[in-house]
Amino acid sequence: MSGASLGKEDGGLMVHAEGVHKRFGRLDVLKGVDLKVKPGEVMCVIGPSGSGKSTFLRCVNHLEKIDAGRLRVNGHLVGYREKGGRLYELREREVAMQRREIGMVFQRFNLFPHKTALANVMEAPVQVKRTPTAQAREQALALLDRVGLADKTHSYPSQLSGGQQQRVAIARALAMEPALMLFDEPTSALDPELVGDVLEVMKQLALDGMTMIVVTHEMGFAREVGDSLVFMDGGVVVEEGDPRSVLAEPKHPRTRDFLSKVL
């Protein structure tokens, strides 16, 4: 799955979800999600806790297996191959190859505590892509500079603020040169004064043309940076549209009710 084969089988879309269902035991978390994300688009996803936002994001890179529907990234089914109208699960090695195309940044930074910022960013290119160490180091230094942490290369996570750790996590995801970046509430675990630096890095990524799906509570970011805004509730997409329009004049009563509490 490479950028060169972008969406050939899927009308040029970067992400195409059709009727995606996911359940945990008896709990239906996703109840038929349909979404389309074009290359270079920044889609912001909002909604109450338990609405299925994070689960959907985890399905996009097959951290969670879907129970029904189709989910394609770059024109390729995620986690499965289709033959004769039936889906067959890919081997873990094949799924890992797909994940190389998809960067993910979590609420909690998930950095290796025993490795410096530089080593954290170098790890995946060296171990997964077999990038020569000198080249990986050069790329990692450039990425840490890009996220404003050129002076923190030899710092360990415990020596960094939450915002700095999250920026290292973004650099680490970018080190794999993904075609798509997923952000799962990347600022929700941060002190308010640290949020701005992380959002600024994400804003710059958007300006650079990175395709992004961002689950967020930051309505200002959604309004300013998002190309589309999706409101989810109860495992379905309730409303979707231009962020400024949805935030200013939501059409669905449930969206209006939610926004009245958060804006």
Side-chain angles (χ1 to χ4, degrees):
M1 187 165 78
S2 67
S5 63
L6 177 60
K8 281 181 182 172
E9 304 155 39
D10 216 22
L13 293 171
M14 179 64 79
V15 180
H16 190 187
E18 299 175 280
V20 171
H21 286 254
K22 175 65 186 176
R23 72 182 67 86
F24 295 104
R26 294 182 179 179
L27 182 65
D28 285 321
V29 180
L30 300 176
K31 303 173 185 173
V33 172
D34 298 303
L35 281 176
K36 296 177 181 179
V37 184
K38 299 181 188 128
E41 180 178 342
V42 178
M43 174 179 281
C44 293
V45 184
I46 63 171
S49 295
S51 58
K53 312 181 300 291
S54 294
T55 298
F56 175 73
L57 219 54
R58 292 173 65 83
C59 289
V60 172
N61 67 354
H62 206 59
L63 287 175
E64 299 289 354
K65 300 173 186 178
I66 65 174
D67 293 308
R70 298 286 188 276
L71 189 46
R72 290 181 173 85
V73 173
N74 258 358
H76 299 261
L77 281 170
V78 175
Y80 300 91
R81 75 166 60 82
E82 189 166 8
K83 193 173 180 184
R86 294 186 64 182
L87 293 183
Y88 297 88
E89 195 162 349
L90 296 178
R91 291 189 292 271
E92 187 54 44
R93 189 163 155 271
E94 296 171 296
V95 174
M97 288 289 287
Q98 288 189 333
R99 283 203 193 107
R100 288 165 54 162
E101 292 275 313
I102 306 168
M104 186 152 183
V105 177
F106 301 87
Q107 274 183 50
R108 298 286 170 184
F109 328 117
N110 294 355
L111 298 176
F112 297 114
H114 61 290
K115 290 182 181 287
T116 63
L118 181 64
N120 264 283
V121 178
M122 288 174 62
E123 178 78 7
V126 170
Q127 298 299 329
V128 179
K129 293 175 89 174
R130 301 289 182 246
T131 304
T133 302
Q135 184 185 334
R137 178 185 169 84
E138 193 177 318
Q139 290 170 342
L141 287 170
L143 285 168
L144 286 168
D145 184 44
R146 185 175 175 184
V147 299
L149 293 173
D151 59 335
K152 299 292 183 184
T153 54
H154 300 300
S155 299
Y156 289 88
S158 61
Q159 299 169 313
L160 300 172
S161 71
Q164 289 168 334
Q165 289 185 62
Q166 192 61 295
R167 284 185 280 154
V168 173
I170 293 172
R172 183 180 61 178
L174 291 173
M176 291 296 284
E177 300 178 317
L180 169 69
M181 283 285 283
L182 309 175
F183 291 88
D184 188 8
E185 299 186 19
T187 59
S188 65
L190 301 180
D191 292 332
E193 68 268 23
L194 303 176
V195 167
D197 289 339
V198 173
L199 293 181
E200 197 54 47
V201 169
M202 293 169 62
K203 200 181 300 182
Q204 195 54 54
L205 278 181
L207 289 171
D208 292 343
M210 176 61 74
T211 312
M212 297 156 62
I213 305 178
V214 184
V215 171
T216 185
H217 295 296
E218 303 290 340
M219 301 302 165
F221 176 85
R223 186 185 290 110
E224 186 185 346
V225 183
D227 297 302
S228 57
L229 182 66
V230 169
F231 172 64
M232 285 183 69
D233 190 30
V236 298
V237 173
V238 175
E239 187 163 344
E240 182 181 358
D242 172 75
R244 289 147 292 278
S245 302
V246 174
L247 291 171
E249 295 179 30
K251 293 182 169 62
H252 196 281
R254 183 66 190 96
T255 318
R256 281 199 295 274
D257 179 53
F258 174 78
L259 290 174
S260 72
K261 294 183 172 85
V262 298
L263 288 179

